[in-house]
Structure formats: C-alpha cells, structure tokens
Amino acid sequence: MIWSDVLLEPIDPAAVLDRVGDPRDGAVVLFLGIVRNANEGRPVSGMEYDGYIEMAREQLAAIAGEAAERAGSDRVAVAHRLGALDIGEVSVAIAASTPHRAEAFDAARHVIEEIKKRLPVWKREHYLDREAAWLDGRLPAAAASR
Amino acid sequence: MIWSDVLLEPIDPAAVLDRVGDPRDGAVVLFLGIVRNANEGRPVSGMEYDGYIEMAREQLAAIAGEAAERAGSDRVAVAHRLGALDIGEVSVAIAASTPHRAEAFDAARHVIEEIKKRLPVWKREHYLDREAAWLDGRLPAAAASR
Amino acid sequence: MEVTVLLFAAHRELAGSGSTVVSLPEGATAGALLETLRGRGGGWTQLPARSAVAVNRRYATADTVLREGDEVALIPPVAGG
Amino acid sequence: MEVTVLLFAAHRELAGSGSTVVSLPEGATAGALLETLRGRGGGWTQLPARSAVAVNRRYATADTVLREGDEVALIPPVAGG
C-alpha cells in the first residue's frame, strides 16, 4: 500500500515505518527530516510550516506514487507535518521497502528531493533573537502535467 | 556517539535509531536489512548467519567510524545479528544523523556496502524443500591496513 | 467571471490576506490575474511579476486560461521537508 | 611454532571442525599455512588454494609472516547484511 498524508499533528516515525515491509522485501529505508537548531550559522528556536494543504496532499500522493513506480514496489509511505515545530521534531518521515537495497534508498531519496522541489509548503524560521523569516525556497517548475 | 555491535539476540530498530540524533541534525536515515522469503526465485524459509564474531565486531566498529568520518558526524549506529533468523527478521540495522540529508544517506549506504564487502559473516539459506546452501559471497580485498 | 485566489507565506503577508476573489474578463490567463493583483496597490504591488501558480491544485503556467470558479494559488518558492 | 586456525561456514564443513592447531616452521607465511592445511587430506584438500585470511582479526595476505600463537582465520567470500 502506497500511503501519504500531510498532517497537523506530530508524526510517529514508527507508525510510518510500520506501513511498509513485505515478506518479499530485504531492505527498508526510513528518512526523517528534523527541525535543527541552526541554519547557516544562525541559532534557530523553532520552525513554522505553512502549506497549501489540499494541494500538498495531492502532490505528496503523486510523489509517493512516482517513487513506488521507480522502485517497483508499492511499499512507500510518507508523512509531512505542518504547523509550529520545536527543535528535534520530525517534519517529514519517509519509508520504503523493496526486495533489494538500492531501490529502497532511491525511493526514499526521490521522495525527499521531490518534496523540496514541488510540495507547496513554506517554512518560517524563528531565531533565538525573536526575529523570524520565511526561508528562500525553490521555484517549482510549472508543469501542467503535474 | 559512534556505536556498533554484533549480536545474537533480535535487533530492536527503534533502539538503534535512538542512538543517533542531535539538535544540530536535520536528517536521519535508518536502513534495515531483512530476511526475505525468496532468493533468485527460490522460496526461502529462513537464514542462518555464521560469523567470526570478535573480528566482525572490530570490522563493524571500523566501518561505522569510516562512515562517521565521511559524514562529518559522530551519530552513526549499526547492529548486525548472527544466528538463525526467520523471514521478516532484521539482520542489520544502520542509523545515521547529520545536519543535511546527503551525508546521512551516504553514511548509511557506506555502512551496508562495506558490510557486504568485508564483514566476516556468512549466510546459509534454508529453502522450503529443506535443502540449505551457503550463499556465494564476496572475497574481501586483503588489506593489511584494515 | 470570478476566480478565487489563495496566497501563502510571504505573499500572504504582502497582501494582508490569505485569499481574495478577483473579477476577470472571460479568457483571462493566470499571468493576467497576477498583473491584476499587482495593480491593486499597497502590498499587492510587491507580489512578484513572475510566480509559480496552481489552478485547481495543479501546477499551471502564466499562459493557462482561467475559467469561472477556478481556485488559483500563487506558489512562492517552496521549502518543505 | 604453533598457530591456531579458525574455519567458518563452508570451510568448517569441509574441515569437519571450526578450529585446529598447526605446527609450522618459524617464518612461515599465511600462504604456507593454507598449503599445509590442504595437505592434510580428506575434506581439507577441498579448501580453496587461495583464500582471504585474517591474522589476529585483521585482514592479511598470503605473504603475511606468521608468529607463534597467532590466530589465523580463513575467510570465505563474505555475505553479511
């Protein structure tokens, strides 16, 4: 089962991991994106994720489907969180399982790279000095097929 | 803390995952190697792992140290299991966390590739028809420096 | 015709609103919509002259022709993960 | 001098044993040890003429000179993970 969701609640990585796996599979890869305590040398106190949630859900489902197709496996699961996150909280969890390891690494990597390119989500860093700024992001390639 | 071990008991992936992570880190990768139900089309009922355990522990510690050096992170953890495993059981768990994602993927991948090249471990597949065979493996490159 | 426009992140702060309804002539494109918004004055003028857009939750281009009732989102450079 | 030899996986099955002690002349190499083992007859002759070896738990080569008390392991092609 390919599974994806965009959530406002905390992500449970173990639950995402549990959505993949199959007796055919010899490899599982889990990727977690975490809010870290600094960006380009500036101390960060937290991160606020804004998103176009309905479209983000559709894009994330499409990305997961593409990753599954590349991997030849329907065992791909991904959750992305929105809202205000503290340092150390999980912003994204991606799991993939495949018979051989190369495909599982590739699937997880594909999902996070495509998220960075086209998921309609934005983040505002909050700094220790109480300022905040929307982070520079990537202009998604306009593509009617997506 | 770089951590590694070769165990005879079941591996708890969550415990391996918990050994990595740091407020500096924005990325975590967990890789699990799992006993799968077939190999080259032949149904498998289980896998028996033999190992030169003392040397395997030393090699695994060396591999984890190399991965950490490549990644610029001391958050690398790896456990390899020996003994008789059923389908679906975890034979190896590798976790790495780093500030940015490329290094975490690279560290986890490095560890599993080096395990396949040089960890003194052997596996015997048990087939559904009750035969068993030691799997063809890779001749480790003789290297006095290792 | 009327379309609904959604704004996010820095765009929302410039516009002072997360959504607005815009009246456009039939056959107007997403690019024409963006020009109409920028012509409203105030913070709207600071919207970028070129922006990624989504029409009904799919990425589209400045040339995409809009229809009555479309949901058009201006998509600032994305930064998820 | 005497060295301890460890055997694993298919090698252990050929030898019928996981370890053995071998007497060798001073200065003997790991390669010479392997020849000595293969000369024992029976399943020992089926040990490969070339094998990876570890001396005191480190990979070594056929040229590595052994010393009294060394722990020498024949390492079949590995298959971990």
Side-chain angles (χ1 to χ4, degrees):
Chain A
M1 273 289 293
I2 303 171
W3 178 86
S4 64
D5 202 4
V6 177
L7 309 163
L8 293 164
E9 302 78 37
I11 292 170
D12 177 3
V16 176
L17 193 57
D18 282 347
R19 288 183 179 273
V20 303
D22 185 277
R24 287 168 288 181
D25 293 335
V28 179
V29 170
L30 174 70
F31 173 82
L32 303 177
I34 311 272
V35 178
R36 64 179 194 275
N37 69 359
N39 190 23
E40 294 174 5
R42 192 167 178 187
V44 169
S45 60
M47 190 78 84
E48 185 185 332
Y49 283 81
D50 186 18
Y52 180 10
I53 192 165
E54 300 88 352
M55 181 176 169
R57 285 194 173 124
E58 293 179 13
Q59 284 285 316
L60 201 57
I63 291 167
E66 290 166 14
E69 191 170 359
R70 286 166 66 101
S73 161
D74 63 356
R75 285 79 71 196
V76 173
V78 49
H80 197 298
R81 187 170 166 198
L82 299 180
L85 277 70
D86 292 328
I87 306 296
E89 284 200 274
V90 175
S91 56
V92 58
I94 301 164
S97 69
T98 55
H100 300 284
R101 66 190 180 282
E103 291 77 6
F105 276 106
D106 177 76
R109 190 71 191 260
H110 179 78
V111 171
I112 184 63
E113 297 303 330
E114 289 300 309
I115 283 173
K116 300 268 179 190
K117 281 182 195 160
R118 56 194 249 227
L119 199 72
V121 167
W122 302 276
K123 50 192 170 191
R124 184 157 69 165
E125 276 181 347
H126 292 257
Y127 303 108
L128 284 182
D129 54 15
R130 291 177 172 276
E131 286 181 46
W134 291 101
L135 290 192
D136 279 342
R138 290 208 245 177
L139 199 64
S145 65
R146 284 175 174 169
Chain B
M1 272 289 293
I2 302 170
W3 178 87
S4 64
D5 203 3
V6 177
L7 309 162
L8 293 165
E9 301 78 37
I11 292 171
D12 177 2
V16 176
L17 193 57
D18 282 348
R19 289 184 179 272
V20 304
D22 185 277
R24 286 168 288 180
D25 292 337
V28 178
V29 170
L30 174 70
F31 173 83
L32 303 178
I34 312 272
V35 178
R36 63 178 194 274
N37 69 358
N39 190 24
E40 293 174 5
R42 193 168 177 188
V44 169
S45 61
M47 190 78 83
E48 184 186 333
Y49 284 81
D50 186 17
Y52 181 7
I53 191 164
E54 302 86 351
M55 181 177 168
R57 285 194 172 123
E58 293 178 13
Q59 283 286 316
L60 201 56
I63 290 168
E66 290 166 14
E69 191 170 359
R70 285 166 65 101
S73 161
D74 62 357
R75 284 81 69 196
V76 173
V78 50
H80 198 297
R81 186 171 167 198
L82 298 181
L85 277 70
D86 292 328
I87 306 296
E89 283 200 275
V90 175
S91 56
V92 58
I94 302 164
S97 69
T98 54
H100 300 282
R101 67 189 179 281
E103 291 78 6
F105 277 105
D106 177 77
R109 190 72 192 258
H110 179 79
V111 171
I112 185 62
E113 297 303 332
E114 290 299 309
I115 282 173
K116 300 268 179 190
K117 282 183 195 160
R118 57 194 248 226
L119 198 72
V121 167
W122 303 276
K123 50 192 172 192
R124 186 157 67 164
E125 276 182 346
H126 292 259
Y127 303 108
L128 283 183
D129 53 16
R130 291 179 172 277
E131 286 182 45
W134 291 102
L135 291 191
D136 278 343
R138 290 208 245 178
L139 197 66
S145 65
R146 283 174 177 171
Chain C
M1 65 176 182
E2 290 194 334
V3 300
T4 300
V5 178
L6 304 180
L7 300 125
F8 298 96
H11 291 177
R12 182 168 50 207
E13 293 180 356
L14 290 172
S17 172
S19 71
T20 185
V21 173
V22 178
S23 290
L24 293 167
E26 293 294 327
T29 63
L33 167 65
L34 190 57
E35 281 313 297
T36 301
L37 292 172
R38 283 163 46 84
R40 284 182 167 187
W44 294 95
T45 61
Q46 294 178 57
L47 288 176
R50 297 191 54 183
S51 171
V53 291
V55 176
N56 300 329
R57 302 197 284 272
R58 288 172 171 262
Y59 283 112
T61 69
D63 296 334
T64 300
V65 174
L66 304 179
R67 297 185 193 177
E68 169 71 25
D70 276 349
E71 178 178 290
V72 184
L74 304 194
I75 308 287
V78 302
Chain D
M1 67 177 181
E2 291 193 334
V3 301
T4 300
V5 177
L6 303 180
L7 299 125
F8 298 95
H11 291 177
R12 181 168 49 205
E13 294 180 355
L14 290 173
S17 172
S19 70
T20 185
V21 172
V22 179
S23 289
L24 293 167
E26 293 292 327
T29 62
L33 166 65
L34 190 57
E35 281 313 298
T36 301
L37 292 171
R38 282 161 47 85
R40 285 183 167 185
W44 294 96
T45 61
Q46 294 177 58
L47 288 176
R50 296 190 56 183
S51 170
V53 292
V55 176
N56 299 328
R57 301 197 286 272
R58 287 171 171 262
Y59 283 112
T61 69
D63 296 334
T64 301
V65 174
L66 303 179
R67 298 185 192 176
E68 169 70 25
D70 276 349
E71 178 179 291
V72 184
L74 303 195
I75 307 287
V78 301

mmCIF file of all heavy atoms in Angstrom, chain B residues 73-97:
data_model
loop_
_atom_site.group_PDB
_atom_site.id
_atom_site.type_symbol
_atom_site.label_atom_id
_atom_site.label_comp_id
_atom_site.label_asym_id
_atom_site.label_seq_id
_atom_site.Cartn_x
_atom_site.Cartn_y
_atom_site.Cartn_z
ATOM 1 N N SER B 73 30.041 13.418 11.074
ATOM 2 C CA SER B 73 29.058 13.284 12.162
ATOM 3 C C SER B 73 29.465 12.100 13.013
ATOM 4 O O SER B 73 29.851 11.064 12.501
ATOM 5 C CB SER B 73 27.672 13.011 11.565
ATOM 6 O OG SER B 73 26.803 12.453 12.526
ATOM 7 N N ASP B 74 29.369 12.230 14.317
ATOM 8 C CA ASP B 74 29.640 11.055 15.147
ATOM 9 C C ASP B 74 28.339 10.329 15.506
ATOM 10 O O ASP B 74 28.328 9.478 16.384
ATOM 11 C CB ASP B 74 30.426 11.433 16.412
ATOM 12 C CG ASP B 74 29.648 12.377 17.296
ATOM 13 O OD1 ASP B 74 28.539 12.789 16.911
ATOM 14 O OD2 ASP B 74 30.167 12.714 18.373
ATOM 15 N N ARG B 75 27.247 10.654 14.816
ATOM 16 C CA ARG B 75 25.963 9.996 15.081
ATOM 17 C C ARG B 75 25.728 8.899 14.054
ATOM 18 O O ARG B 75 25.007 9.077 13.062
ATOM 19 C CB ARG B 75 24.828 11.016 15.062
ATOM 20 C CG ARG B 75 24.761 11.891 16.317
ATOM 21 C CD ARG B 75 25.736 13.037 16.299
ATOM 22 N NE ARG B 75 25.377 14.036 15.302
ATOM 23 C CZ ARG B 75 26.191 14.974 14.872
ATOM 24 N NH1 ARG B 75 27.442 15.055 15.306
ATOM 25 N NH2 ARG B 75 25.790 15.849 13.964
ATOM 26 N N VAL B 76 26.410 7.778 14.295
ATOM 27 C CA VAL B 76 26.281 6.593 13.437
ATOM 28 C C VAL B 76 26.139 5.390 14.367
ATOM 29 O O VAL B 76 26.910 5.251 15.318
ATOM 30 C CB VAL B 76 27.519 6.422 12.534
ATOM 31 C CG1 VAL B 76 27.462 5.104 11.770
ATOM 32 C CG2 VAL B 76 27.645 7.589 11.553
ATOM 33 N N ALA B 77 25.149 4.544 14.100
ATOM 34 C CA ALA B 77 24.933 3.356 14.925
ATOM 35 C C ALA B 77 24.605 2.189 14.012
ATOM 36 O O ALA B 77 23.863 2.342 13.042
ATOM 37 C CB ALA B 77 23.781 3.588 15.910
ATOM 38 N N VAL B 78 25.168 1.015 14.325
ATOM 39 C CA VAL B 78 24.903 -0.152 13.488
ATOM 40 C C VAL B 78 24.950 -1.425 14.324
ATOM 41 O O VAL B 78 25.832 -1.600 15.161
ATOM 42 C CB VAL B 78 25.894 -0.227 12.298
ATOM 43 C CG1 VAL B 78 27.329 -0.094 12.743
ATOM 44 C CG2 VAL B 78 25.715 -1.524 11.493
ATOM 45 N N ALA B 79 23.974 -2.286 14.076
ATOM 46 C CA ALA B 79 23.931 -3.594 14.731
ATOM 47 C C ALA B 79 23.766 -4.664 13.667
ATOM 48 O O ALA B 79 22.965 -4.512 12.745
ATOM 49 C CB ALA B 79 22.753 -3.657 15.707
ATOM 50 N N HIS B 80 24.535 -5.731 13.779
ATOM 51 C CA HIS B 80 24.387 -6.886 12.881
ATOM 52 C C HIS B 80 24.091 -8.108 13.735
ATOM 53 O O HIS B 80 24.725 -8.324 14.754
ATOM 54 C CB HIS B 80 25.654 -7.113 12.061
ATOM 55 C CG HIS B 80 25.424 -7.980 10.852
ATOM 56 N ND1 HIS B 80 25.011 -9.290 10.941
ATOM 57 C CD2 HIS B 80 25.517 -7.710 9.534
ATOM 58 C CE1 HIS B 80 24.875 -9.782 9.722
ATOM 59 N NE2 HIS B 80 25.179 -8.845 8.843
ATOM 60 N N ARG B 81 23.134 -8.892 13.277
ATOM 61 C CA ARG B 81 22.747 -10.071 14.046
ATOM 62 C C ARG B 81 23.345 -11.331 13.445
ATOM 63 O O ARG B 81 23.526 -11.425 12.230
ATOM 64 C CB ARG B 81 21.223 -10.186 14.058
ATOM 65 C CG ARG B 81 20.739 -11.305 14.952
ATOM 66 C CD ARG B 81 19.257 -11.271 15.138
ATOM 67 N NE ARG B 81 18.785 -12.503 15.728
ATOM 68 C CZ ARG B 81 17.525 -12.907 15.695
ATOM 69 N NH1 ARG B 81 16.603 -12.167 15.108
ATOM 70 N NH2 ARG B 81 17.181 -14.047 16.263
ATOM 71 N N LEU B 82 23.620 -12.312 14.290
ATOM 72 C CA LEU B 82 24.038 -13.651 13.871
ATOM 73 C C LEU B 82 23.049 -14.667 14.434
ATOM 74 O O LEU B 82 22.307 -14.375 15.362
ATOM 75 C CB LEU B 82 25.452 -13.971 14.391
ATOM 76 C CG LEU B 82 26.581 -13.069 13.906
ATOM 77 C CD1 LEU B 82 27.911 -13.531 14.502
ATOM 78 C CD2 LEU B 82 26.665 -13.029 12.384
ATOM 79 N N GLY B 83 23.073 -15.870 13.847
ATOM 80 C CA GLY B 83 22.200 -16.932 14.339
ATOM 81 C C GLY B 83 21.130 -17.269 13.316
ATOM 82 O O GLY B 83 21.252 -16.935 12.142
ATOM 83 N N ALA B 84 20.098 -17.962 13.770
ATOM 84 C CA ALA B 84 19.027 -18.422 12.876
ATOM 85 C C ALA B 84 17.898 -17.398 12.867
ATOM 86 O O ALA B 84 17.311 -17.098 13.906
ATOM 87 C CB ALA B 84 18.496 -19.768 13.348
ATOM 88 N N LEU B 85 17.624 -16.852 11.678
ATOM 89 C CA LEU B 85 16.592 -15.819 11.553
ATOM 90 C C LEU B 85 15.446 -16.311 10.679
ATOM 91 O O LEU B 85 15.659 -17.002 9.681
ATOM 92 C CB LEU B 85 17.175 -14.543 10.927
ATOM 93 C CG LEU B 85 17.895 -13.571 11.876
ATOM 94 C CD1 LEU B 85 19.214 -14.155 12.354
ATOM 95 C CD2 LEU B 85 18.133 -12.240 11.185
ATOM 96 N N ASP B 86 14.243 -15.892 11.067
ATOM 97 C CA ASP B 86 13.060 -16.194 10.260
ATOM 98 C C ASP B 86 12.836 -15.103 9.221
ATOM 99 O O ASP B 86 13.382 -13.994 9.343
ATOM 100 C CB ASP B 86 11.825 -16.285 11.174
ATOM 101 C CG ASP B 86 11.891 -17.487 12.098
ATOM 102 O OD1 ASP B 86 12.457 -18.519 11.688
ATOM 103 O OD2 ASP B 86 11.383 -17.386 13.235
ATOM 104 N N ILE B 87 11.974 -15.407 8.242
ATOM 105 C CA ILE B 87 11.551 -14.402 7.275
ATOM 106 C C ILE B 87 11.029 -13.175 8.017
ATOM 107 O O ILE B 87 10.279 -13.312 8.987
ATOM 108 C CB ILE B 87 10.399 -14.945 6.388
ATOM 109 C CG1 ILE B 87 10.774 -16.272 5.730
ATOM 110 C CG2 ILE B 87 9.950 -13.916 5.362
ATOM 111 C CD1 ILE B 87 11.900 -16.181 4.776
ATOM 112 N N GLY B 88 11.425 -11.995 7.570
ATOM 113 C CA GLY B 88 10.927 -10.766 8.175
ATOM 114 C C GLY B 88 11.749 -10.270 9.338
ATOM 115 O O GLY B 88 11.544 -9.144 9.799
ATOM 116 N N GLU B 89 12.681 -11.085 9.820
ATOM 117 C CA GLU B 89 13.516 -10.620 10.939
ATOM 118 C C GLU B 89 14.636 -9.712 10.427
ATOM 119 O O GLU B 89 15.104 -9.832 9.296
ATOM 120 C CB GLU B 89 14.087 -11.801 11.714
ATOM 121 C CG GLU B 89 13.050 -12.446 12.621
ATOM 122 C CD GLU B 89 13.710 -13.260 13.718
ATOM 123 O OE1 GLU B 89 14.036 -14.437 13.471
ATOM 124 O OE2 GLU B 89 13.912 -12.729 14.816
ATOM 125 N N VAL B 90 15.058 -8.807 11.308
ATOM 126 C CA VAL B 90 16.070 -7.806 10.964
ATOM 127 C C VAL B 90 17.461 -8.406 11.148
ATOM 128 O O VAL B 90 17.820 -8.812 12.246
ATOM 129 C CB VAL B 90 15.909 -6.557 11.851
ATOM 130 C CG1 VAL B 90 17.027 -5.562 11.583
ATOM 131 C CG2 VAL B 90 14.550 -5.913 11.622
ATOM 132 N N SER B 91 18.246 -8.432 10.058
ATOM 133 C CA SER B 91 19.621 -8.933 10.158
ATOM 134 C C SER B 91 20.607 -7.806 10.430
ATOM 135 O O SER B 91 21.640 -8.027 11.061
ATOM 136 C CB SER B 91 20.015 -9.664 8.879
ATOM 137 O OG SER B 91 19.841 -8.834 7.756
ATOM 138 N N VAL B 92 20.301 -6.604 9.955
ATOM 139 C CA VAL B 92 21.191 -5.471 10.191
ATOM 140 C C VAL B 92 20.354 -4.199 10.293
ATOM 141 O O VAL B 92 19.348 -4.052 9.580
ATOM 142 C CB VAL B 92 22.251 -5.362 9.074
ATOM 143 C CG1 VAL B 92 21.635 -5.213 7.700
ATOM 144 C CG2 VAL B 92 23.227 -4.225 9.322
ATOM 145 N N ALA B 93 20.740 -3.323 11.216
ATOM 146 C CA ALA B 93 20.089 -2.014 11.359
ATOM 147 C C ALA B 93 21.181 -0.961 11.413
ATOM 148 O O ALA B 93 22.148 -1.092 12.174
ATOM 149 C CB ALA B 93 19.240 -1.959 12.627
ATOM 150 N N ILE B 94 21.042 0.059 10.578
ATOM 151 C CA ILE B 94 22.038 1.124 10.463
ATOM 152 C C ILE B 94 21.311 2.454 10.596
ATOM 153 O O ILE B 94 20.337 2.695 9.887
ATOM 154 C CB ILE B 94 22.732 1.077 9.081
ATOM 155 C CG1 ILE B 94 23.401 -0.270 8.853
ATOM 156 C CG2 ILE B 94 23.724 2.234 8.934
ATOM 157 C CD1 ILE B 94 23.770 -0.529 7.389
ATOM 158 N N ALA B 95 21.781 3.309 11.478
ATOM 159 C CA ALA B 95 21.186 4.644 11.612
ATOM 160 C C ALA B 95 22.289 5.684 11.550
ATOM 161 O O ALA B 95 23.398 5.460 12.046
ATOM 162 C CB ALA B 95 20.421 4.764 12.927
ATOM 163 N N ALA B 96 21.990 6.809 10.916
ATOM 164 C CA ALA B 96 22.939 7.919 10.861
ATOM 165 C C ALA B 96 22.160 9.216 10.888
ATOM 166 O O ALA B 96 21.088 9.311 10.287
ATOM 167 C CB ALA B 96 23.772 7.847 9.583
ATOM 168 N N SER B 97 22.680 10.207 11.598
ATOM 169 C CA SER B 97 22.051 11.528 11.555
ATOM 170 C C SER B 97 23.117 12.585 11.322
ATOM 171 O O SER B 97 24.242 12.478 11.813
ATOM 172 C CB SER B 97 21.255 11.814 12.830
ATOM 173 O OG SER B 97 22.094 11.988 13.938
#
